[in-house]
Coordinates of all heavy atoms in Angstrom, one line a residue:
E437 N -8.8 -7.9 -4.1 CA -10.0 -7.7 -4.8 C -11.0 -6.9 -4.0 O -11.7 -6.0 -4.4 CB -10.6 -9.0 -5.3 CG -11.9 -8.8 -6.2 CD -12.5 -10.1 -6.7 OE1 -11.9 -11.1 -6.4 OE2 -13.6 -10.0 -7.3
I438 N -11.1 -7.3 -2.7 CA -12.0 -6.6 -1.8 C -11.6 -5.2 -1.5 O -12.4 -4.2 -1.7 CB -12.2 -7.4 -0.4 CG1 -12.8 -8.8 -0.7 CG2 -13.0 -6.6 0.6 CD1 -12.8 -9.7 0.5
L439 N -10.3 -5.0 -1.1 CA -9.9 -3.6 -0.8 C -9.8 -2.8 -2.1 O -9.9 -1.6 -2.0 CB -8.5 -3.7 -0.1 CG -8.5 -4.4 1.2 CD1 -7.0 -4.5 1.8 CD2 -9.4 -3.7 2.2
G440 N -9.6 -3.5 -3.2 CA -9.5 -2.7 -4.5 C -10.8 -2.3 -5.0 O -10.9 -1.6 -6.0
S441 N -11.9 -2.7 -4.4 CA -13.3 -2.3 -4.8 C -13.6 -0.9 -4.4 O -14.6 -0.4 -4.8 CB -14.3 -3.3 -4.3 OG -14.3 -3.3 -2.9
T442 N -12.8 -0.3 -3.5 CA -13.0 1.0 -3.0 C -11.9 1.9 -3.5 O -10.7 1.5 -3.6 CB -13.0 1.1 -1.5 OG1 -14.1 0.3 -1.0 CG2 -13.1 2.5 -1.0
E443 N -12.2 3.2 -3.9 CA -11.2 4.1 -4.3 C -10.9 5.0 -3.0 O -11.8 5.7 -2.5 CB -11.6 5.1 -5.4 CG -10.5 6.0 -5.8 CD -10.7 6.8 -7.0 OE1 -11.7 6.5 -7.7 OE2 -10.0 7.8 -7.3
W444 N -9.7 4.8 -2.4 CA -9.4 5.4 -1.1 C -8.9 6.8 -1.3 O -8.3 7.2 -2.3 CB -8.4 4.6 -0.4 CG -8.7 3.1 -0.3 CD1 -8.4 2.1 -1.2 CD2 -9.5 2.6 0.7 NE1 -8.9 0.9 -0.7 CE2 -9.6 1.2 0.4 CE3 -10.2 3.1 1.8 CZ2 -10.4 0.3 1.2 CZ3 -10.9 2.2 2.6 CH2 -11.0 0.8 2.3
D445 N -9.3 7.7 -0.4 CA -8.7 9.0 -0.4 C -7.2 8.9 -0.1 O -6.4 9.5 -0.8 CB -9.4 9.9 0.7 CG -8.7 11.3 0.9 OD1 -7.7 11.4 1.6 OD2 -9.2 12.2 0.2
T446 N -6.8 8.2 1.0 CA -5.4 8.0 1.3 C -5.2 6.6 1.8 O -6.0 6.0 2.5 CB -5.0 8.9 2.5 OG1 -5.2 10.3 2.1 CG2 -3.6 8.7 3.0
I447 N -4.1 6.0 1.3 CA -3.6 4.7 1.8 C -2.3 5.1 2.6 O -1.4 5.7 2.1 CB -3.3 3.7 0.7 CG1 -4.6 3.3 0.0 CG2 -2.6 2.5 1.3 CD1 -4.4 2.3 -1.1
L448 N -2.3 4.6 3.9 CA -1.2 4.9 4.7 C -0.6 3.6 5.2 O -1.3 2.7 5.7 CB -1.7 5.7 5.9 CG -0.6 6.4 6.8 CD1 -1.2 7.6 7.4 CD2 -0.1 5.5 7.8
L449 N 0.7 3.4 4.9 CA 1.4 2.1 5.3 C 2.2 2.4 6.5 O 3.1 3.2 6.5 CB 2.3 1.6 4.1 CG 1.7 1.4 2.7 CD1 2.8 0.8 1.8 CD2 0.5 0.5 2.8
D450 N 2.0 1.6 7.6 CA 2.8 1.7 8.8 C 3.9 0.7 8.7 O 3.6 -0.4 8.3 CB 1.9 1.5 10.0 CG 2.6 1.8 11.3 OD1 3.7 2.5 11.2 OD2 2.1 1.5 12.4
E451 N 5.0 1.0 9.2 CA 6.2 0.2 9.1 C 6.4 -0.3 7.7 O 6.3 -1.5 7.4 CB 6.1 -1.0 10.1 CG 6.0 -0.5 11.6 CD 6.5 -1.4 12.6 OE1 7.2 -2.4 12.3 OE2 6.2 -1.2 13.8
A452 N 6.6 0.7 6.8 CA 6.6 0.5 5.4 C 7.7 -0.4 4.9 O 7.7 -0.8 3.7 CB 6.6 1.8 4.7
Q453 N 8.7 -0.7 5.8 CA 9.7 -1.6 5.3 C 9.2 -3.0 5.0 O 9.9 -3.8 4.3 CB 10.8 -1.8 6.4 CG 10.3 -2.4 7.8 CD 9.8 -1.3 8.7 OE1 9.5 -0.2 8.3 NE2 9.8 -1.6 10.0
Y454 N 7.9 -3.3 5.2 CA 7.2 -4.5 4.8 C 7.1 -4.6 3.3 O 6.8 -5.7 2.8 CB 5.9 -4.6 5.5 CG 5.9 -5.3 6.8 CD1 6.5 -4.7 7.9 CD2 5.4 -6.6 7.0 CE1 6.6 -5.3 9.2 CE2 5.4 -7.2 8.3 CZ 6.1 -6.6 9.3 OH 6.1 -7.2 10.6
I455 N 7.2 -3.5 2.6 CA 7.2 -3.5 1.1 C 8.5 -3.2 0.5 O 8.6 -2.7 -0.6 CB 6.1 -2.6 0.5 CG1 6.4 -1.1 0.9 CG2 4.7 -3.0 1.0 CD1 5.6 -0.1 0.0
K456 N 9.6 -3.4 1.3 CA 10.9 -3.1 0.8 C 11.4 -3.9 -0.4 O 12.2 -3.4 -1.2 CB 12.0 -3.2 1.9 CG 12.2 -4.7 2.4 CD 13.1 -4.7 3.6 CE 13.3 -6.1 4.1 NZ 14.2 -6.1 5.3
N457 N 10.8 -5.0 -0.6 CA 11.0 -5.8 -1.8 C 9.9 -5.6 -2.8 O 8.8 -6.2 -2.6 CB 11.2 -7.3 -1.5 CG 11.6 -8.1 -2.7 OD1 11.5 -7.7 -3.8 ND2 12.0 -9.4 -2.4
P458 N 10.1 -4.9 -3.9 CA 8.9 -4.5 -4.8 C 8.4 -5.7 -5.6 O 7.3 -5.6 -6.1 CB 9.6 -3.5 -5.7 CG 11.0 -3.8 -5.7 CD 11.3 -4.3 -4.3
Y459 N 9.2 -6.8 -5.6 CA 8.8 -8.0 -6.4 C 8.0 -9.0 -5.6 O 7.6 -10.0 -6.2 CB 10.0 -8.6 -7.1 CG 10.7 -7.6 -8.0 CD1 11.9 -7.1 -7.7 CD2 10.0 -7.3 -9.2 CE1 12.5 -6.2 -8.6 CE2 10.6 -6.4 -10.1 CZ 11.9 -5.8 -9.8 OH 12.5 -4.9 -10.6
T460 N 7.7 -8.8 -4.4 CA 6.8 -9.7 -3.6 C 5.3 -9.4 -4.0 O 5.0 -8.3 -4.4 CB 6.9 -9.5 -2.1 OG1 6.6 -8.2 -1.8 CG2 8.4 -9.7 -1.7
Q461 N 4.5 -10.5 -3.9 CA 3.1 -10.3 -4.3 C 2.5 -9.3 -3.3 O 1.5 -8.6 -3.7 CB 2.4 -11.7 -4.1 CG 1.0 -11.7 -4.6 CD 0.3 -13.0 -4.5 OE1 1.0 -14.1 -4.3 NE2 -1.0 -13.1 -4.5
Q462 N 2.9 -9.3 -2.1 CA 2.4 -8.4 -1.1 C 2.6 -6.9 -1.5 O 1.6 -6.1 -1.5 CB 3.1 -8.6 0.2 CG 2.6 -7.8 1.4 CD 3.2 -8.3 2.7 OE1 2.7 -9.2 3.3 NE2 4.4 -7.7 3.1
A463 N 3.8 -6.5 -1.9 CA 4.1 -5.2 -2.4 C 3.3 -4.8 -3.6 O 2.7 -3.7 -3.8 CB 5.6 -5.0 -2.6
A464 N 3.2 -5.8 -4.6 CA 2.5 -5.5 -5.8 C 1.0 -5.4 -5.6 O 0.4 -4.5 -6.2 CB 2.8 -6.7 -6.8
S465 N 0.4 -6.2 -4.7 CA -1.0 -6.1 -4.5 C -1.3 -4.7 -3.9 O -2.3 -4.1 -4.3 CB -1.4 -7.2 -3.5 OG -1.3 -8.5 -4.1
I466 N -0.6 -4.3 -2.9 CA -0.8 -3.0 -2.2 C -0.6 -1.9 -3.2 O -1.4 -0.9 -3.2 CB 0.1 -2.9 -1.0 CG1 -0.3 -3.9 0.1 CG2 0.1 -1.4 -0.5 CD1 0.6 -4.0 1.2
S467 N 0.4 -1.9 -4.1 CA 0.6 -0.8 -5.0 C -0.5 -0.7 -6.0 O -0.7 0.4 -6.6 CB 1.9 -1.1 -5.7 OG 3.0 -1.0 -4.8
R468 N -1.2 -1.8 -6.3 CA -2.3 -1.7 -7.3 C -3.6 -1.1 -6.7 O -4.5 -0.8 -7.5 CB -2.6 -3.1 -7.8 CG -1.5 -3.6 -8.8 CD -2.0 -4.9 -9.6 NE -2.1 -6.0 -8.7 CZ -1.1 -6.9 -8.5 NH1 0.0 -6.8 -9.2 NH2 -1.3 -8.0 -7.7
L469 N -3.7 -1.0 -5.4 CA -5.0 -0.4 -4.8 C -5.2 1.0 -5.3 O -4.2 1.8 -5.4 CB -4.9 -0.5 -3.3 CG -4.8 -1.9 -2.7 CD1 -4.7 -1.8 -1.2 CD2 -6.0 -2.7 -3.1
K470 N -6.4 1.4 -5.5 CA -6.7 2.7 -6.1 C -6.8 3.7 -4.9 O -7.5 3.5 -3.9 CB -8.0 2.6 -6.8 CG -8.0 1.8 -8.1 CD -9.4 1.6 -8.7 CE -10.3 0.8 -7.8 NZ -11.6 0.5 -8.4
C471 N -6.1 4.8 -5.1 CA -6.2 5.9 -4.1 C -5.7 7.2 -4.7 O -5.0 7.2 -5.7 CB -5.3 5.5 -2.8 SG -3.6 5.4 -3.2
R472 N -6.0 8.3 -4.0 CA -5.6 9.6 -4.4 C -4.3 10.1 -3.7 O -3.6 10.9 -4.3 CB -6.7 10.6 -4.2 CG -7.9 10.3 -5.1 CD -9.0 11.4 -4.9 NE -9.7 11.3 -3.6 CZ -10.6 10.5 -3.3 NH1 -11.1 9.6 -4.2 NH2 -11.2 10.4 -2.1
N473 N -4.0 9.6 -2.5 CA -2.9 10.0 -1.8 C -2.2 8.8 -1.1 O -2.9 7.9 -0.6 CB -3.3 11.1 -0.7 CG -4.0 12.2 -1.3 OD1 -3.4 13.2 -1.9 ND2 -5.3 12.2 -1.2
R474 N -0.9 8.9 -1.0 CA -0.2 7.7 -0.4 C 0.9 8.2 0.5 O 1.7 9.1 0.1 CB 0.5 6.9 -1.5 CG -0.5 6.3 -2.5 CD 0.2 5.5 -3.6 NE -0.7 4.9 -4.5 CZ -0.5 3.8 -5.2 NH1 0.7 3.1 -5.0 NH2 -1.3 3.3 -6.0
F475 N 0.9 7.7 1.7 CA 2.0 8.0 2.7 C 2.5 6.8 3.4 O 1.8 5.8 3.5 CB 1.5 9.0 3.7 CG 1.3 10.4 3.3 CD1 0.1 10.9 2.7 CD2 2.4 11.3 3.3 CE1 0.0 12.1 2.2 CE2 2.3 12.6 2.9 CZ 1.1 13.0 2.3
C476 N 3.8 6.8 3.8 CA 4.4 5.7 4.5 C 5.0 6.2 5.8 O 5.5 7.3 5.9 CB 5.5 5.1 3.6 SG 5.0 4.2 2.2
L477 N 4.9 5.3 6.8 CA 5.5 5.5 8.1 C 6.6 4.5 8.3 O 6.4 3.3 8.0 CB 4.5 5.5 9.2 CG 3.2 6.3 9.1 CD1 2.4 6.1 10.4 CD2 3.5 7.8 8.9
T478 N 7.8 4.9 8.7 CA 8.8 3.9 9.1 C 9.7 4.5 10.1 O 10.0 5.7 10.0 CB 9.6 3.5 7.8 OG1 10.6 2.6 8.2 CG2 10.2 4.7 7.1
G479 N 10.2 3.7 11.0 CA 11.1 4.2 12.1 C 12.6 4.0 11.7 O 13.5 4.3 12.5
T480 N 12.8 3.4 10.6 CA 14.2 3.0 10.2 C 14.7 3.9 9.1 O 13.9 4.3 8.2 CB 14.3 1.6 9.7 OG1 13.5 1.4 8.5 CG2 13.8 0.6 10.8

């Protein structure tokens, strides 16, 4: 709710394998955040 109160220019996920399971509350919460651009970083 706090992070979702801002519309972000870019959300950048580092070590994006942390959202590899789309059905976790964590992945769902992050996906609902408002932004115009999205990028992921992963070394795997």
Side-chain angles (χ1 to χ4, degrees):
E437 184 179 354
I438 295 175
L439 296 178
S441 63
T442 296
E443 183 171 352
W444 306 96
D445 174 275
T446 297
I447 295 179
L448 196 151
L449 304 187
D450 190 13
E451 300 206 14
Q453 60 270 23
Y454 271 69
I455 62 162
K456 64 184 179 181
N457 184 348
Y459 295 109
T460 61
Q461 186 179 346
Q462 183 170 272
S465 296
I466 291 171
S467 294
R468 285 192 291 265
L469 297 177
K470 296 173 289 187
C471 64
R472 294 184 288 278
N473 305 280
R474 301 178 177 209
F475 283 91
C476 288
L477 308 182
T478 179
T480 63

